[in-house]
PDB file of all heavy atoms in Angstrom:
ATOM      1  N   LYS A 184      39.526 -52.263   3.766  1.00 93.00           N
ATOM      2  CA  LYS A 184      40.860 -51.713   3.555  1.00 93.00           C
ATOM      3  C   LYS A 184      41.291 -50.907   4.769  1.00 93.00           C
ATOM      4  O   LYS A 184      40.485 -50.140   5.311  1.00 93.00           O
ATOM      5  CB  LYS A 184      40.889 -50.821   2.290  1.00 93.00           C
ATOM      6  CG  LYS A 184      42.276 -50.386   1.925  1.00 93.00           C
ATOM      7  CD  LYS A 184      42.302 -49.702   0.573  1.00 93.00           C
ATOM      8  CE  LYS A 184      43.737 -49.252   0.272  1.00 93.00           C
ATOM      9  NZ  LYS A 184      43.837 -48.492  -0.951  1.00 93.00           N
ATOM     10  N   GLN A 185      42.551 -51.081   5.174  1.00 96.00           N
ATOM     11  CA  GLN A 185      43.048 -50.404   6.353  1.00 96.00           C
ATOM     12  C   GLN A 185      43.875 -49.179   5.997  1.00 96.00           C
ATOM     13  O   GLN A 185      44.633 -49.190   5.015  1.00 96.00           O
ATOM     14  CB  GLN A 185      43.894 -51.347   7.211  1.00 96.00           C
ATOM     15  CG  GLN A 185      43.093 -52.473   7.794  1.00 96.00           C
ATOM     16  CD  GLN A 185      43.899 -53.323   8.741  1.00 96.00           C
ATOM     17  OE1 GLN A 185      45.111 -53.346   8.690  1.00 96.00           O
ATOM     18  NE2 GLN A 185      43.210 -54.029   9.617  1.00 96.00           N
ATOM     19  N   TYR A 186      43.714 -48.116   6.806  1.00 96.00           N
ATOM     20  CA  TYR A 186      44.432 -46.857   6.608  1.00 96.00           C
ATOM     21  C   TYR A 186      45.113 -46.496   7.927  1.00 96.00           C
ATOM     22  O   TYR A 186      44.489 -46.560   8.989  1.00 96.00           O
ATOM     23  CB  TYR A 186      43.467 -45.738   6.226  1.00 96.00           C
ATOM     24  CG  TYR A 186      42.685 -46.065   4.967  1.00 96.00           C
ATOM     25  CD1 TYR A 186      41.484 -46.783   5.025  1.00 96.00           C
ATOM     26  CD2 TYR A 186      43.153 -45.689   3.707  1.00 96.00           C
ATOM     27  CE1 TYR A 186      40.770 -47.105   3.877  1.00 96.00           C
ATOM     28  CE2 TYR A 186      42.448 -46.002   2.553  1.00 96.00           C
ATOM     29  CZ  TYR A 186      41.246 -46.704   2.653  1.00 96.00           C
ATOM     30  OH  TYR A 186      40.557 -46.999   1.513  1.00 96.00           O
ATOM     31  N   LEU A 187      46.361 -46.109   7.842  1.00 97.00           N
ATOM     32  CA  LEU A 187      47.118 -45.698   9.022  1.00 97.00           C
ATOM     33  C   LEU A 187      47.049 -44.191   9.214  1.00 97.00           C
ATOM     34  O   LEU A 187      46.942 -43.450   8.244  1.00 97.00           O
ATOM     35  CB  LEU A 187      48.578 -46.153   8.882  1.00 97.00           C
ATOM     36  CG  LEU A 187      48.780 -47.665   8.763  1.00 97.00           C
ATOM     37  CD1 LEU A 187      50.263 -47.980   8.531  1.00 97.00           C
ATOM     38  CD2 LEU A 187      48.253 -48.385   9.975  1.00 97.00           C
ATOM     39  N   PRO A 188      47.164 -43.735  10.448  1.00 98.00           N
ATOM     40  CA  PRO A 188      47.107 -42.298  10.704  1.00 98.00           C
ATOM     41  C   PRO A 188      48.338 -41.604  10.077  1.00 98.00           C
ATOM     42  O   PRO A 188      49.401 -42.200   9.953  1.00 98.00           O
ATOM     43  CB  PRO A 188      47.193 -42.196  12.223  1.00 98.00           C
ATOM     44  CG  PRO A 188      47.024 -43.552  12.761  1.00 98.00           C
ATOM     45  CD  PRO A 188      47.284 -44.518  11.684  1.00 98.00           C
ATOM     46  N   VAL A 189      48.127 -40.364   9.681  1.00 97.00           N
ATOM     47  CA  VAL A 189      49.237 -39.558   9.156  1.00 97.00           C
ATOM     48  C   VAL A 189      49.802 -38.615  10.211  1.00 97.00           C
ATOM     49  O   VAL A 189      50.928 -38.132  10.051  1.00 97.00           O
ATOM     50  CB  VAL A 189      48.820 -38.760   7.901  1.00 97.00           C
ATOM     51  CG1 VAL A 189      48.500 -39.712   6.752  1.00 97.00           C
ATOM     52  CG2 VAL A 189      47.671 -37.822   8.168  1.00 97.00           C
ATOM     53  N   ALA A 190      49.053 -38.382  11.284  1.00 97.00           N
ATOM     54  CA  ALA A 190      49.555 -37.459  12.303  1.00 97.00           C
ATOM     55  C   ALA A 190      48.707 -37.521  13.584  1.00 97.00           C
ATOM     56  O   ALA A 190      47.524 -37.888  13.537  1.00 97.00           O
ATOM     57  CB  ALA A 190      49.563 -36.024  11.781  1.00 97.00           C
ATOM     58  N   TRP A 191      49.321 -37.118  14.681  1.00 97.00           N
ATOM     59  CA  TRP A 191      48.647 -36.844  15.946  1.00 97.00           C
ATOM     60  C   TRP A 191      48.995 -35.410  16.291  1.00 97.00           C
ATOM     61  O   TRP A 191      50.172 -35.048  16.363  1.00 97.00           O
ATOM     62  CB  TRP A 191      49.132 -37.795  17.033  1.00 97.00           C
ATOM     63  CG  TRP A 191      48.746 -37.351  18.413  1.00 97.00           C
ATOM     64  CD1 TRP A 191      49.547 -36.718  19.336  1.00 97.00           C
ATOM     65  CD2 TRP A 191      47.468 -37.480  19.042  1.00 97.00           C
ATOM     66  NE1 TRP A 191      48.839 -36.444  20.481  1.00 97.00           N
ATOM     67  CE2 TRP A 191      47.563 -36.907  20.339  1.00 97.00           C
ATOM     68  CE3 TRP A 191      46.247 -37.999  18.639  1.00 97.00           C
ATOM     69  CZ2 TRP A 191      46.490 -36.871  21.221  1.00 97.00           C
ATOM     70  CZ3 TRP A 191      45.181 -37.962  19.519  1.00 97.00           C
ATOM     71  CH2 TRP A 191      45.301 -37.405  20.786  1.00 97.00           C
ATOM     72  N   GLU A 192      47.997 -34.583  16.460  1.00 97.00           N
ATOM     73  CA  GLU A 192      48.210 -33.208  16.863  1.00 97.00           C
ATOM     74  C   GLU A 192      47.516 -32.983  18.186  1.00 97.00           C
ATOM     75  O   GLU A 192      46.279 -32.842  18.226  1.00 97.00           O
ATOM     76  CB  GLU A 192      47.681 -32.245  15.801  1.00 97.00           C
ATOM     77  CG  GLU A 192      48.470 -32.320  14.508  1.00 97.00           C
ATOM     78  CD  GLU A 192      47.974 -31.369  13.438  1.00 97.00           C
ATOM     79  OE1 GLU A 192      47.138 -30.499  13.737  1.00 97.00           O
ATOM     80  OE2 GLU A 192      48.424 -31.512  12.303  1.00 97.00           O
ATOM     81  N   GLY A 193      48.285 -33.045  19.246  1.00 96.00           N
ATOM     82  CA  GLY A 193      47.684 -32.879  20.552  1.00 96.00           C
ATOM     83  C   GLY A 193      48.710 -33.104  21.640  1.00 96.00           C
ATOM     84  O   GLY A 193      49.932 -33.008  21.424  1.00 96.00           O
ATOM     85  N   ALA A 194      48.212 -33.435  22.816  1.00 96.00           N
ATOM     86  CA  ALA A 194      49.058 -33.629  23.985  1.00 96.00           C
ATOM     87  C   ALA A 194      50.042 -34.764  23.762  1.00 96.00           C
ATOM     88  O   ALA A 194      49.681 -35.799  23.209  1.00 96.00           O
ATOM     89  CB  ALA A 194      48.193 -33.911  25.208  1.00 96.00           C
ATOM     90  N   PRO A 195      51.292 -34.575  24.170  1.00 95.00           N
ATOM     91  CA  PRO A 195      52.297 -35.622  23.992  1.00 95.00           C
ATOM     92  C   PRO A 195      52.074 -36.762  25.000  1.00 95.00           C
ATOM     93  O   PRO A 195      51.292 -36.615  25.952  1.00 95.00           O
ATOM     94  CB  PRO A 195      53.615 -34.891  24.285  1.00 95.00           C
ATOM     95  CG  PRO A 195      53.236 -33.802  25.212  1.00 95.00           C
ATOM     96  CD  PRO A 195      51.837 -33.388  24.790  1.00 95.00           C
ATOM     97  N   PRO A 196      52.774 -37.891  24.809  1.00 94.00           N
ATOM     98  CA  PRO A 196      52.644 -38.998  25.761  1.00 94.00           C
ATOM     99  C   PRO A 196      52.973 -38.557  27.182  1.00 94.00           C
ATOM    100  O   PRO A 196      53.794 -37.677  27.405  1.00 94.00           O
ATOM    101  CB  PRO A 196      53.675 -40.012  25.254  1.00 94.00           C
ATOM    102  CG  PRO A 196      53.819 -39.719  23.808  1.00 94.00           C
ATOM    103  CD  PRO A 196      53.658 -38.229  23.702  1.00 94.00           C
ATOM    104  N   GLY A 197      52.279 -39.199  28.123  1.00 93.00           N
ATOM    105  CA  GLY A 197      52.478 -38.921  29.541  1.00 93.00           C
ATOM    106  C   GLY A 197      51.265 -38.256  30.156  1.00 93.00           C
ATOM    107  O   GLY A 197      50.371 -37.786  29.472  1.00 93.00           O
ATOM    108  N   GLY A 198      51.223 -38.261  31.446  1.00 92.00           N
ATOM    109  CA  GLY A 198      50.125 -37.651  32.170  1.00 92.00           C
ATOM    110  C   GLY A 198      48.884 -38.522  32.225  1.00 92.00           C
ATOM    111  O   GLY A 198      48.869 -39.635  31.702  1.00 92.00           O
ATOM    112  N   HIS A 199      47.843 -37.999  32.833  1.00 95.00           N
ATOM    113  CA  HIS A 199      46.602 -38.745  33.019  1.00 95.00           C
ATOM    114  C   HIS A 199      45.479 -38.268  32.123  1.00 95.00           C
ATOM    115  O   HIS A 199      44.410 -38.857  32.099  1.00 95.00           O
ATOM    116  CB  HIS A 199      46.172 -38.682  34.476  1.00 95.00           C
ATOM    117  CG  HIS A 199      47.113 -39.352  35.410  1.00 95.00           C
ATOM    118  ND1 HIS A 199      47.084 -40.695  35.651  1.00 95.00           N
ATOM    119  CD2 HIS A 199      48.152 -38.852  36.140  1.00 95.00           C
ATOM    120  CE1 HIS A 199      48.044 -41.016  36.498  1.00 95.00           C
ATOM    121  NE2 HIS A 199      48.720 -39.905  36.806  1.00 95.00           N
ATOM    122  N   HIS A 200      45.679 -37.162  31.413  1.00 96.00           N
ATOM    123  CA  HIS A 200      44.649 -36.608  30.520  1.00 96.00           C
ATOM    124  C   HIS A 200      45.353 -36.161  29.233  1.00 96.00           C
ATOM    125  O   HIS A 200      46.295 -35.375  29.274  1.00 96.00           O
ATOM    126  CB  HIS A 200      43.941 -35.416  31.159  1.00 96.00           C
ATOM    127  CG  HIS A 200      43.275 -35.766  32.443  1.00 96.00           C
ATOM    128  ND1 HIS A 200      42.041 -36.375  32.493  1.00 96.00           N
ATOM    129  CD2 HIS A 200      43.666 -35.627  33.736  1.00 96.00           C
ATOM    130  CE1 HIS A 200      41.700 -36.579  33.752  1.00 96.00           C
ATOM    131  NE2 HIS A 200      42.694 -36.143  34.527  1.00 96.00           N
ATOM    132  N   ARG A 201      44.868 -36.679  28.099  1.00 97.00           N
ATOM    133  CA  ARG A 201      45.425 -36.260  26.793  1.00 97.00           C
ATOM    134  C   ARG A 201      44.250 -36.020  25.841  1.00 97.00           C
ATOM    135  O   ARG A 201      43.254 -36.710  25.897  1.00 97.00           O
ATOM    136  CB  ARG A 201      46.304 -37.361  26.203  1.00 97.00           C
ATOM    137  CG  ARG A 201      47.563 -37.580  26.952  1.00 97.00           C
ATOM    138  CD  ARG A 201      48.395 -38.718  26.402  1.00 97.00           C
ATOM    139  NE  ARG A 201      48.829 -38.414  25.043  1.00 97.00           N
ATOM    140  CZ  ARG A 201      49.327 -39.338  24.208  1.00 97.00           C
ATOM    141  NH1 ARG A 201      49.416 -40.579  24.562  1.00 97.00           N
ATOM    142  NH2 ARG A 201      49.715 -38.985  23.009  1.00 97.00           N
ATOM    143  N   LYS A 202      44.445 -35.046  24.983  1.00 98.00           N
ATOM    144  CA  LYS A 202      43.428 -34.728  23.993  1.00 98.00           C
ATOM    145  C   LYS A 202      44.117 -34.223  22.736  1.00 98.00           C
ATOM    146  O   LYS A 202      45.140 -33.525  22.815  1.00 98.00           O
ATOM    147  CB  LYS A 202      42.483 -33.652  24.530  1.00 98.00           C
ATOM    148  CG  LYS A 202      41.299 -33.371  23.617  1.00 98.00           C
ATOM    149  CD  LYS A 202      40.354 -32.386  24.284  1.00 98.00           C
ATOM    150  CE  LYS A 202      39.124 -32.156  23.453  1.00 98.00           C
ATOM    151  NZ  LYS A 202      38.157 -31.320  24.170  1.00 98.00           N
ATOM    152  N   GLY A 203      43.578 -34.606  21.588  1.00 97.00           N
ATOM    153  CA  GLY A 203      44.157 -34.134  20.334  1.00 97.00           C
ATOM    154  C   GLY A 203      43.403 -34.658  19.133  1.00 97.00           C
ATOM    155  O   GLY A 203      42.356 -35.310  19.276  1.00 97.00           O
ATOM    156  N   LEU A 204      43.947 -34.385  17.957  1.00 97.00           N
ATOM    157  CA  LEU A 204      43.357 -34.841  16.709  1.00 97.00           C
ATOM    158  C   LEU A 204      44.200 -35.959  16.117  1.00 97.00           C
ATOM    159  O   LEU A 204      45.405 -35.793  15.922  1.00 97.00           O
ATOM    160  CB  LEU A 204      43.250 -33.697  15.708  1.00 97.00           C
ATOM    161  CG  LEU A 204      42.286 -32.572  16.052  1.00 97.00           C
ATOM    162  CD1 LEU A 204      42.361 -31.493  14.977  1.00 97.00           C
ATOM    163  CD2 LEU A 204      40.868 -33.085  16.194  1.00 97.00           C
ATOM    164  N   LEU A 205      43.570 -37.085  15.817  1.00 97.00           N
ATOM    165  CA  LEU A 205      44.206 -38.168  15.112  1.00 97.00           C
ATOM    166  C   LEU A 205      43.784 -38.016  13.662  1.00 97.00           C
ATOM    167  O   LEU A 205      42.591 -38.000  13.362  1.00 97.00           O
ATOM    168  CB  LEU A 205      43.726 -39.511  15.673  1.00 97.00           C
ATOM    169  CG  LEU A 205      44.415 -40.765  15.166  1.00 97.00           C
ATOM    170  CD1 LEU A 205      45.917 -40.729  15.445  1.00 97.00           C
ATOM    171  CD2 LEU A 205      43.790 -41.990  15.796  1.00 97.00           C
ATOM    172  N   ARG A 206      44.760 -37.835  12.762  1.00 96.00           N
ATOM    173  CA  ARG A 206      44.476 -37.491  11.385  1.00 96.00           C
ATOM    174  C   ARG A 206      44.754 -38.637  10.429  1.00 96.00           C
ATOM    175  O   ARG A 206      45.762 -39.318  10.555  1.00 96.00           O
ATOM    176  CB  ARG A 206      45.282 -36.286  10.951  1.00 96.00           C
ATOM    177  CG  ARG A 206      44.907 -35.081  11.757  1.00 96.00           C
ATOM    178  CD  ARG A 206      45.545 -33.821  11.285  1.00 96.00           C
ATOM    179  NE  ARG A 206      44.792 -32.763  11.956  1.00 96.00           N
ATOM    180  CZ  ARG A 206      44.600 -31.590  11.459  1.00 96.00           C
ATOM    181  NH1 ARG A 206      45.084 -31.244  10.318  1.00 96.00           N
ATOM    182  NH2 ARG A 206      43.911 -30.711  12.132  1.00 96.00           N
ATOM    183  N   PHE A 207      43.839 -38.815   9.462  1.00 95.00           N
ATOM    184  CA  PHE A 207      43.969 -39.794   8.393  1.00 95.00           C
ATOM    185  C   PHE A 207      43.757 -39.066   7.068  1.00 95.00           C
ATOM    186  O   PHE A 207      42.987 -38.099   7.014  1.00 95.00           O
ATOM    187  CB  PHE A 207      42.914 -40.882   8.506  1.00 95.00           C
ATOM    188  CG  PHE A 207      43.074 -41.769   9.708  1.00 95.00           C
ATOM    189  CD1 PHE A 207      42.591 -41.374  10.940  1.00 95.00           C
ATOM    190  CD2 PHE A 207      43.697 -43.009   9.607  1.00 95.00           C
ATOM    191  CE1 PHE A 207      42.746 -42.186  12.061  1.00 95.00           C
ATOM    192  CE2 PHE A 207      43.851 -43.811  10.693  1.00 95.00           C
ATOM    193  CZ  PHE A 207      43.367 -43.421  11.935  1.00 95.00           C
ATOM    194  N   LYS A 208      44.402 -39.531   6.008  1.00 93.00           N
ATOM    195  CA  LYS A 208      44.116 -38.974   4.685  1.00 93.00           C
ATOM    196  C   LYS A 208      42.666 -39.290   4.344  1.00 93.00           C
ATOM    197  O   LYS A 208      42.124 -40.303   4.751  1.00 93.00           O
ATOM    198  CB  LYS A 208      45.027 -39.576   3.626  1.00 93.00           C
ATOM    199  CG  LYS A 208      46.447 -39.085   3.729  1.00 93.00           C
ATOM    200  CD  LYS A 208      47.275 -39.601   2.582  1.00 93.00           C
ATOM    201  CE  LYS A 208      48.687 -39.031   2.702  1.00 93.00           C
ATOM    202  NZ  LYS A 208      49.566 -39.507   1.657  1.00 93.00           N
ATOM    203  N   VAL A 209      42.058 -38.386   3.599  1.00 90.00           N
ATOM    204  CA  VAL A 209      40.661 -38.575   3.174  1.00 90.00           C
ATOM    205  C   VAL A 209      40.537 -39.888   2.391  1.00 90.00           C
ATOM    206  O   VAL A 209      41.374 -40.187   1.558  1.00 90.00           O
ATOM    207  CB  VAL A 209      40.198 -37.392   2.298  1.00 90.00           C
ATOM    208  CG1 VAL A 209      38.853 -37.668   1.640  1.00 90.00           C
ATOM    209  CG2 VAL A 209      40.112 -36.123   3.143  1.00 90.00           C
ATOM    210  N   ILE A 210      39.489 -40.633   2.685  1.00 87.00           N
ATOM    211  CA  ILE A 210      39.228 -41.881   1.964  1.00 87.00           C
ATOM    212  C   ILE A 210      38.233 -41.592   0.867  1.00 87.00           C
ATOM    213  O   ILE A 210      37.125 -41.110   1.129  1.00 87.00           O
ATOM    214  CB  ILE A 210      38.677 -42.963   2.909  1.00 87.00           C
ATOM    215  CG1 ILE A 210      39.708 -43.260   4.015  1.00 87.00           C
ATOM    216  CG2 ILE A 210      38.302 -44.207   2.149  1.00 87.00           C
ATOM    217  CD1 ILE A 210      39.161 -44.163   5.096  1.00 87.00           C
ATOM    218  N   ALA A 211      38.623 -41.857  -0.358  1.00 83.00           N
ATOM    219  CA  ALA A 211      37.730 -41.631  -1.495  1.00 83.00           C
ATOM    220  C   ALA A 211      37.801 -42.853  -2.394  1.00 83.00           C
ATOM    221  O   ALA A 211      38.861 -43.422  -2.571  1.00 83.00           O
ATOM    222  CB  ALA A 211      38.151 -40.384  -2.252  1.00 83.00           C
ATOM    223  N   PRO A 212      36.680 -43.266  -2.938  1.00 82.00           N
ATOM    224  CA  PRO A 212      35.335 -42.699  -2.777  1.00 82.00           C
ATOM    225  C   PRO A 212      34.787 -43.037  -1.380  1.00 82.00           C
ATOM    226  O   PRO A 212      35.306 -43.878  -0.681  1.00 82.00           O
ATOM    227  CB  PRO A 212      34.525 -43.408  -3.866  1.00 82.00           C
ATOM    228  CG  PRO A 212      35.185 -44.727  -4.052  1.00 82.00           C
ATOM    229  CD  PRO A 212      36.651 -44.460  -3.798  1.00 82.00           C
ATOM    230  N   MET A 213      33.719 -42.345  -1.020  1.00 79.00           N
ATOM    231  CA  MET A 213      33.083 -42.516   0.281  1.00 79.00           C
ATOM    232  C   MET A 213      32.553 -43.948   0.405  1.00 79.00           C
ATOM    233  O   MET A 213      31.961 -44.475  -0.517  1.00 79.00           O
ATOM    234  CB  MET A 213      31.939 -41.510   0.433  1.00 79.00           C
ATOM    235  CG  MET A 213      31.270 -41.565   1.782  1.00 79.00           C
ATOM    236  SD  MET A 213      32.285 -41.088   3.162  1.00 79.00           S
ATOM    237  CE  MET A 213      32.441 -39.348   2.852  1.00 79.00           C
ATOM    238  N   HIS A 214      32.754 -44.550   1.559  1.00 81.00           N
ATOM    239  CA  HIS A 214      32.280 -45.901   1.827  1.00 81.00           C
ATOM    240  C   HIS A 214      31.042 -45.829   2.703  1.00 81.00           C
ATOM    241  O   HIS A 214      30.672 -44.790   3.219  1.00 81.00           O
ATOM    242  CB  HIS A 214      33.372 -46.726   2.503  1.00 81.00           C
ATOM    243  CG  HIS A 214      34.608 -46.884   1.642  1.00 81.00           C
ATOM    244  ND1 HIS A 214      34.635 -47.723   0.573  1.00 81.00           N
ATOM    245  CD2 HIS A 214      35.814 -46.287   1.698  1.00 81.00           C
ATOM    246  CE1 HIS A 214      35.824 -47.661  -0.004  1.00 81.00           C
ATOM    247  NE2 HIS A 214      36.552 -46.789   0.663  1.00 81.00           N
ATOM    248  N   ALA A 215      30.404 -46.990   2.884  1.00 86.00           N
ATOM    249  CA  ALA A 215      29.162 -47.053   3.660  1.00 86.00           C
ATOM    250  C   ALA A 215      29.409 -46.867   5.168  1.00 86.00           C
ATOM    251  O   ALA A 215      28.554 -46.342   5.879  1.00 86.00           O
ATOM    252  CB  ALA A 215      28.454 -48.368   3.406  1.00 86.00           C
ATOM    253  N   SER A 216      30.571 -47.306   5.624  1.00 89.00           N
ATOM    254  CA  SER A 216      30.872 -47.196   7.058  1.00 89.00           C
ATOM    255  C   SER A 216      32.381 -47.144   7.250  1.00 89.00           C
ATOM    256  O   SER A 216      33.148 -47.416   6.326  1.00 89.00           O
ATOM    257  CB  SER A 216      30.291 -48.380   7.835  1.00 89.00           C
ATOM    258  OG  SER A 216      30.917 -49.584   7.445  1.00 89.00           O
ATOM    259  N   MET A 217      32.768 -46.799   8.470  1.00 92.00           N
ATOM    260  CA  MET A 217      34.179 -46.801   8.828  1.00 92.00           C
ATOM    261  C   MET A 217      34.303 -47.260  10.259  1.00 92.00           C
ATOM    262  O   MET A 217      33.391 -47.078  11.083  1.00 92.00           O
ATOM    263  CB  MET A 217      34.795 -45.413   8.674  1.00 92.00           C
ATOM    264  CG  MET A 217      34.245 -44.379   9.585  1.00 92.00           C
ATOM    265  SD  MET A 217      35.014 -42.794   9.334  1.00 92.00           S
ATOM    266  CE  MET A 217      33.919 -41.780  10.301  1.00 92.00           C
ATOM    267  N   LYS A 218      35.438 -47.862  10.564  1.00 96.00           N
ATOM    268  CA  LYS A 218      35.714 -48.325  11.918  1.00 96.00           C
ATOM    269  C   LYS A 218      37.109 -47.886  12.307  1.00 96.00           C
ATOM    270  O   LYS A 218      38.082 -48.157  11.608  1.00 96.00           O
ATOM    271  CB  LYS A 218      35.617 -49.833  12.010  1.00 96.00           C
ATOM    272  CG  LYS A 218      35.838 -50.348  13.411  1.00 96.00           C
ATOM    273  CD  LYS A 218      35.915 -51.866  13.617  1.00 96.00           C
ATOM    274  CE  LYS A 218      35.214 -52.718  12.620  1.00 96.00           C
ATOM    275  NZ  LYS A 218      35.281 -54.154  12.937  1.00 96.00           N
TER     276      LYS A 218
END
């Protein structure tokens, strides 16, 4: 099953270095793996 991100909290587009948090809603129940 595929899940889309709900938010990006970090550096905006542009530049040569970006860092931030890519957020997804919690997946329940817990699965064996994620990609």
Side-chain angles (χ1 to χ4, degrees):
K184 188 171 179 185
Q185 294 186 338
Y186 303 87
L187 299 176
V189 294
W191 165 259
E192 293 181 10
H199 295 276
H200 302 278
R201 292 177 64 195
K202 186 175 184 175
L204 293 177
L205 187 60
R206 297 187 165 210
F207 293 83
K208 287 186 179 178
V209 170
I210 299 172
M213 183 66 71
H214 298 286
S216 65
M217 65 180 169
K218 182 186 334 183

